[in-house]
Amino acid sequence: MSKNPIILGIETSCDETAVSIIQDHESGIPKILSNIVSSQVDIHKEFGGVVPELAARSHVEKINLIAKKTLDESNMRLENISAVAATAGPGLMICLSVGLNFGKALASSLNVPFIGVNHLEGHALSPKLHTNINYPYLLLLISGGHSQFLSVNGLGKYKRLGTTIDDALGEAFDKTAKLLGIEFPGGPKLEKFAERGDSNKFDLPKPIISKGGCNLSFAGLKTAILRITKNIKTEQEKYDLAASFQKTIEEILSIKSKIAFDEFLKINSVKKKSFVVAGGVAANNGIRKKLIQTSNNNNFEVIFPNPKLCGDNAAMIAMVGMEMFKLKKFNNLDFPVTPRLPLDKNAAFLKGAGIKL
Ligand code: KG4
Ligand code: ZN
């Protein structure tokens, strides 16, 4: 057996049942031996959103099978696994419990270390599955539940520079898609809609664009879109609105990224300026193009995870597990499910009415 550690990762924080096996490599970039993501889209489609009880039930039904398939595909045997890493939070409590308990049981039966992983740290480290990146780096995390700029100074070492004060960006995409009549999950489909439209047709607001540093806000956009959709009559107008939304988001992220660059450089002195954009929304091609341009103009190297690693997956959980394993950071089997688990534990809670920016 190779002495390079092999980590089995498990992810069940929301509506994807995912298991992956990765192996450490001398290049510093681990090999993904297998990476299976079983999506529950068909289960939740008719409800227009994720139903936690149905999601948890489906995780229970599938986790064993997915783990077995992952193992078969990796050509490994259970005895080869060096440690088991599972998402402990943030996410839906009853969904997290399924993967975390499965992971604990597996680690215990194999007599190998167990590692509880922060899902957001999985996104933060996801491009390390194919690119060597040195700490510190600037991170823009844009997913269904989070939108944040963070300085990533090492494993478990995060300083939040900015966050959304209301909706997450993925949420804004999904809600806008719903208003345009696009079926769940709307985010990725909205981008396709936008390709057929004129992005200059509607002038949408850019909330808190000239205040609040690199904090973000998307709720005002959703309200504006709700108002416009009431008067929309043709399919073409829908495409135009989608295109205008897409363009507005690109501009907001570009302006706020420039502010984040400055804030990052104020607290870090680096030879190479790296900017990682991760999370489900990082799969958006328009956002990628715009942020490549913004980064080039500001001497930052922008790094995106491969599109397949942007959405929820267990390879990114195994990646965090790998770094923890190397530092011998293991957890006990009473490690709790933690539905709210920020990356920067010292950052103030910034949501709701009456926030002063
Ligand atoms: O990271 P992720 O898979 O799950 C969470 O941790 O939340 O992110 C899911 C979010 C959803 O809101 C989905 O609509 C959005 O990412 N998303 C996209 C695209 N692909 C996924 N939003 C915009 N454009 C895309 N291409
Ligand atoms: Zn996620």
Side-chain angles (χ1 to χ4, degrees):
M1 188 188 123
S2 156
K3 53 185 181 330
N4 288 347
I6 296 171
I7 309 292
L8 184 143
I10 300 168
E11 156 63 35
T12 62
S13 66
C14 190
D15 59 341
E16 258 98 26
T17 316
V19 183
S20 173
I21 297 176
I22 67 169
Q23 180 167 31
D24 193 28
H25 190 267
E26 290 70 27
S27 63
I29 300 171
K31 275 182 88 172
I32 301 178
L33 302 181
S34 55
N35 183 26
I36 298 185
V37 180
S38 170
S39 164
Q40 303 177 357
V41 165
D42 289 341
I43 297 174
H44 304 292
K45 210 185 303 200
E46 64 175 296
F47 304 99
V50 177
V51 184
E53 288 76 9
L54 296 181
R57 174 189 275 251
S58 176
H59 288 311
V60 170
E61 284 168 0
K62 281 197 254 166
I63 186 80
N64 209 11
L65 185 72
I66 303 289
K68 191 172 176 326
K69 262 179 128 176
T70 308
L71 195 66
D72 290 347
E73 229 179 60
S74 71
N75 285 323
M76 289 289 154
R77 292 189 314 263
L78 279 175
E79 308 85 85
N80 302 133
I81 306 293
S82 318
V84 178
T87 305
L92 299 166
M93 178 111 178
I94 52 175
C95 293
L96 288 162
S97 304
V98 179
L100 196 72
N101 288 331
F102 185 86
K104 286 176 181 175
L106 187 59
S108 163
S109 69
L110 297 175
N111 202 20
V112 298
F114 168 75
I115 300 164
V117 174
N118 183 325
H119 176 88
L120 304 177
E121 186 149 47
H123 282 301
L125 268 54
S126 56
K128 288 186 158 217
L129 287 158
H130 51 73
T131 313
N132 267 316
I133 312 167
N134 292 328
Y135 298 116
Y137 57 85
L138 175 67
L139 168 69
L140 169 60
L141 172 62
I142 35 179
S143 68
H146 296 83
S147 299
Q148 306 188 330
F149 285 102
L150 297 130
S151 173
V152 185
N153 293 66
L155 192 68
K157 291 184 189 146
Y158 294 85
K159 167 117 185 73
R160 197 186 72 195
L161 305 175
T163 185
T164 177
I165 58 165
D166 40 57
D167 292 348
L169 185 52
E171 206 178 341
F173 264 94
D174 294 338
K175 285 178 180 170
T176 300
K178 210 171 189 175
L179 289 170
L180 291 173
I182 303 172
E183 73 172 6
F184 172 85
K189 289 179 200 143
L190 191 141
E191 199 187 354
K192 295 273 163 290
F193 243 61
E195 282 163 15
R196 300 195 217 167
D198 175 356
S199 61
N200 295 316
K201 267 280 148 65
F202 296 98
D203 193 17
L204 297 171
K206 299 190 187 86
I208 68 164
I209 203 67
S210 48
K211 60 176 177 178
C214 61
N215 284 306
L216 300 155
S217 168
F218 301 109
L221 253 167
K222 183 187 59 197
T223 314
I225 285 169
L226 174 65
R227 193 170 28 79
I228 297 168
T229 45
K230 286 189 180 144
N231 299 314
I232 268 184
K233 293 187 180 63
T234 65
E235 276 298 290
Q236 188 56 48
E237 281 177 307
K238 280 190 187 177
Y239 299 143
D240 294 342
L241 186 52
S244 304
F245 173 80
Q246 170 76 36
K247 183 180 151 206
T248 306
I249 295 297
E250 289 169 16
E251 286 174 355
I252 292 173
L253 293 182
S254 173
I255 292 166
K256 292 292 185 175
S257 294
K258 278 189 246 170
I259 301 171
F261 292 159
D262 289 342
E263 300 209 354
F264 174 78
L265 294 176
K266 262 188 230 160
I267 57 168
N268 294 293
S269 76
V270 283
K271 275 203 204 98
K272 194 171 169 193
K273 303 176 204 168
S274 304
F275 178 35
V276 167
V277 184
V281 188
N284 185 290
N285 286 311
I287 292 175
R288 284 180 177 238
K289 269 194 209 138
K290 184 73 176 184
L291 292 183
I292 289 172
Q293 205 183 55
T294 310
S295 304
N296 287 344
N297 292 342
N298 290 275
N299 299 318
F300 266 77
E301 186 198 9
V302 67
I303 303 148
F304 298 94
N306 286 343
K308 272 194 175 163
L309 298 171
C310 284
D312 290 347
N313 65 84
M316 67 183 195
I317 304 303
M319 181 71 232
V320 179
M322 183 68 81
E323 293 214 356
M324 304 253 277
F325 183 82
K326 288 184 186 172
L327 297 173
K328 294 197 165 47
K329 284 188 169 185
F330 309 140
N331 297 113
N332 293 330
L333 292 179
D334 61 356
F335 194 75
V337 166
T338 318
R340 204 183 107 69
L341 191 56
L343 283 173
D344 178 357
K345 292 175 185 67
N346 298 317
F349 189 64
L350 256 199
K351 268 195 177 178
I355 300 161
K356 290 201 177 62
L357 292 170

